Amino acid sequence: MAQIKIYGLKSNLSKIKNELSNVIHKCIVDSLSFPKDKKYHRFIMFDRDEMIFPDDKSEQYTIIEIMMMEGREVETKKDLIKSLFVNIQKELNIETNDLEICIIESPASNWGFRGMTDDEIKLNYKVKV
């Protein structure tokens, strides 16, 4: 399981929300061997006066936070991050300097859905990739 939060300016993200979601999901599916039907994205959009960021960032400044279960190899996570940089820049023309990506992992026992914790559920995809 992975939950994705995308933070940025409302004036930017509202125009590209669907396209960005599709690019992120494709990268997740390809890099993590994630099922195509498992898409959990949340957009958190701010007015310009509600978001403070460094002077070297443009209005396209976007933070992508990926919360997922532990178990993926370091190289798999690095491949995901690199894929996000390349594909978002290619598909949406957002410079890599305007993207920040963070993967946050937690044990399967800390995830709850379908009335159980994730370490009790039989998933239809591999976590150890």
Side-chain angles (χ1 to χ4, degrees):
M1 169 159 282
Q3 296 275 342
I4 317 301
K5 293 178 190 167
I6 302 105
Y7 302 86
L9 293 178
K10 188 183 303 180
S11 58
N12 179 50
L13 289 181
S14 61
K15 295 180 219 168
I16 63 167
K17 184 168 59 172
N18 291 327
E19 294 89 346
L20 181 55
S21 177
N22 289 337
V23 171
I24 292 169
H25 189 61
K26 182 174 181 351
C27 292
I28 295 279
V29 168
D30 293 348
S31 296
L32 302 182
S33 301
F34 213 65
K36 290 181 182 176
D37 65 331
K38 303 291 184 192
K39 188 176 184 181
Y40 306 97
H41 297 181
R42 306 295 176 266
F43 282 82
I44 301 152
M45 298 184 266
F46 301 96
D47 290 329
R48 182 65 178 93
D49 65 340
E50 297 173 319
M51 189 168 172
I52 300 169
F53 47 86
D55 292 338
D56 69 335
K57 307 296 182 201
S58 79
E59 298 289 308
Q60 292 184 316
Y61 179 58
T62 304
I63 302 166
I64 300 170
E65 193 176 275
I66 302 164
M67 173 69 85
M68 62 186 189
M69 291 178 291
E70 293 176 326
R72 276 83 178 191
E73 299 290 330
V74 169
E75 284 307 312
T76 300
K77 294 180 280 189
K78 289 173 92 172
D79 287 344
L80 171 59
I81 290 169
K82 291 174 185 176
S83 176
L84 286 164
F85 279 128
V86 167
N87 288 291
I88 291 170
Q89 202 270 328
K90 178 181 161 190
E91 297 295 325
L92 296 165
N93 204 30
I94 297 175
E95 295 300 322
T96 56
N97 187 57
D98 280 329
L99 287 173
E100 291 187 7
I101 301 164
C102 180
I103 295 174
I104 303 165
E105 296 181 293
S106 69
S109 60
N110 289 359
W111 287 78
F113 53 95
R114 296 185 211 144
M116 295 181 267
T117 59
D118 192 40
D119 59 337
E120 301 170 327
I121 293 174
K122 175 79 172 134
L123 298 173
N124 63 349
Y125 57 94
K126 292 184 213 173
V127 173
K128 303 218 182 262
V129 293

